[in-house]
Amino acid sequence: MFARVALLGLLSFTCAGDEPPTAAPSPAAGGPKAAEPPFEAPVIVESAALASEPKAAEPPPAPEAAKPADAASQDLTPRLAGATGPDAELFSRAEALRKQGDVMKMRQALLELLRDHPASPLVPHVYLTLGDESFKRGEMKNALQFFEKALSFPNDDVAAYALHLAGWCRMNLGEDEEALAAFVQAAERATRVATDQGRALARASILDSAFVYVRVGKLDKAPAFYAKATKGTGVTPDEALRRMATAAIDSERRDELARLCKTEGMPAWCAGPLDRP
């Protein structure tokens, strides 16, 4: 039997044991976008062989895994509007199977798309779907590798979403500094997407960054940090700092927060969090 490499290794129901690769750097802002790199097709066994294997028991999501608070109320996943053809039909089938809860057949459809249509503009969306599904199942290392694969494509909407959830993956893996950088990069990339969804993703990325900022950052540096990080995102520094202050109290840093607020002259963003019992 042929060895399973690359993508098939990630499609197993258990997390990969190796450390995930380093996150791809965000392309510099401005200038024309580079042409999409050619897709290197993974080695894929015949779908019949995959289907004939015994289905492993699906593990529940890790109980300690943190997830975006608004994940259920807001779908920030980028879509490729107006896609037609056999690749689009496969992707639509995969999405339908996902909604039905048939993860195995969903993955088979996505594998078929990657195998038969390696140049499809839907390829980065395939990686997002696979990463999103792994993330929801609590498979953080698998999800992170899919999101990093999506980052090899220049699409700003794809990259922003991949970076946003990569931030959550890294936070759950204890890689807090990398998580904070991913959230900030996600917000920056999302500001280039001139849609309501792009603006919502920029906002979510900045606000979600507060949860990890209090794990790695000095609270007295937070006002300067968010004065810069919020530019162009639609989030005011006060909104981000209020979220940070709440997270600081939840992380048992109330006294440190109180000292900061006193130094800052008790700004409005301090009042609500400090009034909490």
Side-chain angles (χ1 to χ4, degrees), residues 80 83-93 109 113 116-117 119-123:
L80 187 62
T84 59
D87 54 339
E89 291 175 5
L90 281 168
F91 192 78
S92 295
R93 185 201 307 169
L113 193 160
D116 296 343
H117 308 280
S120 169
L122 285 163
V123 166

Side-chain angles (χ1 to χ4, degrees), residues 25 33 49 56 66 72 75 77 86 107 114 157 179 223 235 244-245 262:
K33 291 184 178 180
D75 182 11
T77 311
R107 292 180 176 183
L114 291 174
D157 56 345
V235 181
M244 182 280 300
K262 184 177 180 180

Side-chain angles (χ1 to χ4, degrees), residues 93-221:
R93 185 201 307 169
E95 287 197 316
L97 290 165
R98 185 184 185 188
K99 290 178 181 178
Q100 295 167 15
D102 196 334
V103 177
M104 177 66 79
K105 288 185 178 180
M106 176 206 76
R107 292 180 176 183
Q108 289 177 3
L110 294 176
L111 277 173
E112 187 177 343
L113 193 160
L114 291 174
R115 182 190 62 200
D116 296 343
H117 308 280
S120 169
L122 285 163
V123 166
H125 297 266
V126 169
Y127 289 120
L128 285 187
T129 300
L130 292 168
D132 199 35
E133 186 63 32
S134 293
F135 178 82
K136 290 178 179 178
R137 292 166 54 81
E139 300 168 0
M140 297 298 158
K141 288 187 178 181
N142 281 1
L144 184 59
Q145 291 181 71
F146 283 127
F147 292 138
E148 289 175 342
K149 186 65 177 176
L151 285 170
S152 65
F153 297 85
N155 314 48
D156 282 326
D157 56 345
V158 168
Y161 184 77
L163 282 163
H164 178 74
L165 282 187
W168 280 99
C169 289
R170 290 192 177 279
M171 188 167 72
N172 281 305
L173 291 169
E175 301 169 3
D176 294 332
E177 292 183 1
E178 294 86 349
L180 182 60
F183 283 128
V184 173
Q185 290 172 16
E188 191 274 330
R189 294 295 291 269
T191 60
R192 305 184 205 173
V193 183
T195 64
D196 289 342
Q197 189 176 54
R199 287 184 283 272
L201 185 55
R203 180 178 180 81
S205 297
I206 288 296
L207 294 178
D208 286 352
S209 74
F211 296 113
V212 70
Y213 182 91
V214 299
R215 290 161 60 164
V216 295
K218 295 181 178 180
L219 297 195
D220 62 349
K221 304 295 184 183

Side-chain angles (χ1 to χ4, degrees), residues 222-256:
F225 177 84
Y226 281 109
K228 182 178 180 180
T230 56
K231 286 183 178 179
T233 64
V235 181
T236 67
D238 277 10
E239 285 181 284
L241 289 168
R242 186 177 297 110
R243 181 70 66 91
M244 182 280 300
T246 300
I249 291 176
D250 291 340
S251 299
E252 300 182 352
R253 298 180 72 178
R254 178 185 287 271
D255 291 345
E256 188 179 352

